Amino acid sequence: CSTARDAGVACALGTHSALGSGLCAPCPEGFECAVASVPPVPCASGHYSLGSASNCTACPPGYECPVATLPPSPCAVGHYATGSALTVT
């Protein structure tokens, strides 16, 4: 007979579970965990995640997101960035 551990675990959004581990872990910074049974997926360019995210967040206009594990940084005076920007212009 199979056990609940063998059947998998229903993890909350923003967490993931390695197949057969029976444990849910928070999604790491810089990744998204939209489907708990799938390994964490890195954030796309111009997006960020501070951890435990079901989806990465697009960098807002007026900010840059050069590193997916850090919050957006405001543009310096005299510079601009459109949404999902890696760097400012």
Side-chain angles (χ1 to χ4, degrees):
C1 295
S2 65
T3 65
R5 182 182 186 105
D6 295 332
V9 174
C11 294
L13 286 176
T15 64
H16 67 98
S17 175
L19 185 61
S21 76
L23 301 171
C24 297
C27 197
E29 295 175 347
F31 290 82
E32 64 182 18
C33 296
V35 179
S37 61
V38 174
V41 176
C43 292
S45 294
H47 291 71
Y48 70 98
S49 162
L50 302 179
S52 298
S54 57
N55 292 294
C56 296
T57 303
C59 197
Y63 290 80
E64 64 178 331
C65 296
V67 181
T69 58
L70 298 175
S73 300
C75 296
V77 174
H79 293 85
Y80 70 93
T82 58
S84 300
L86 291 175
T87 58
V88 297
T89 305

